[in-house]
Amino acid sequence: MLRRATTLLTRSTIPLRARPFSTDVAETAPADSTFSDAWKKVVPHIDPPRTPLTFMKPRPVTPSSIPTKLTVNFVLPYASELSAKEVDMVIIPASTGHMGVLPGHVATIAELKPGVMSVHEGADVTKYFVSSGFAFIHANSIADVIAVEAVPLDRVDASLVQKGLAEFTQKLNSASTDLEKAEAQIGVDVHSALNSALTGKFY
């Protein structure tokens, strides 16, 4: 038994194919020739429909050296707050904690939690309160931040935040079903994060 176990442990293994990094992906989208060829065999007199690959823009070239600025795109479902904005740094409220993103940051995907996102441009700092979303940090020093809701922090009414926090806290204490508790807890979490942002506990 011991000899068999030793043989299994020393047996050569087949190397696994490593997952490519974003920098290894071709800068131009490859043509979907497999689909086109299959289409032409079935209906050769009609042009094949365009696939998602047709609409993909070429991936921006990853610079050989770290740029001095970070390019930020900050979008909401109904608006674009920042589009290709060059800044020094952005701090996002990730679910694992606040994360500072500088030019040359490693490629990362981060889930956002209710909190403050601050955009640093020289001596100017613009702060937004975001409810949730995702941040996509690319190897070419481009950051795409997608939020469900966001508002500049200086436009938040502190009195309404306190009122909302009290209302949702009361709803949470009186909730009788799991759905009511979940909805009330979300309200408490968001208003608590808003209150913390206004009192300076976040960036």
Side-chain angles (χ1 to χ4, degrees), residues 105-184:
H105 195 285
V106 64
T108 306
I109 298 177
E111 181 182 4
L112 304 181
K113 66 178 182 180
V116 174
M117 184 187 82
S118 57
V119 180
H120 298 250
E121 185 179 6
D124 298 330
V125 180
T126 305
K127 297 182 178 181
Y128 300 87
F129 182 85
V130 298
S131 62
S132 60
F134 286 90
F136 301 87
I137 315 302
H138 306 282
N140 53 9
S141 295
I142 295 178
D144 296 322
V145 182
I146 296 92
V148 176
E149 290 287 348
V151 62
L153 192 59
D154 55 7
R155 292 175 52 188
V156 178
D157 190 329
S159 61
L160 293 178
V161 172
Q162 292 291 341
K163 180 181 178 182
L165 180 58
E167 291 178 353
F168 280 104
T169 301
Q170 183 179 1
K171 289 181 179 179
L172 181 60
N173 294 332
S174 60
S176 58
T177 66
D178 291 340
L179 177 59
E180 291 176 350
K181 290 179 182 179
E183 292 177 343

Side-chain angles (χ1 to χ4, degrees), residues 2 32-33 56 59-60 64-66 72 84 127 135 147 158 169-170 187 200:
L2 179 60
D32 194 357
S33 58
M56 290 178 63
R59 178 180 57 82
S64 57
S65 60
I66 298 177
V72 178
K127 297 182 178 181
T169 301
Q170 183 179 1

Side-chain angles (χ1 to χ4, degrees), residues 53-106:
L53 285 176
T54 311
F55 301 93
M56 290 178 63
K57 294 181 179 179
R59 178 180 57 82
V61 179
T62 301
S64 57
S65 60
I66 298 177
T68 58
K69 295 291 184 178
L70 175 72
T71 303
V72 178
N73 299 304
F74 180 33
V75 297
L76 308 173
Y78 49 85
S80 176
E81 291 290 332
L82 300 175
S83 178
K85 180 75 171 179
E86 292 190 343
V87 301
D88 297 315
M89 177 178 66
V90 61
I91 300 177
I92 60 174
S95 58
T96 55
H98 278 77
M99 182 172 70
V101 181
L102 293 166
H105 195 285
V106 64

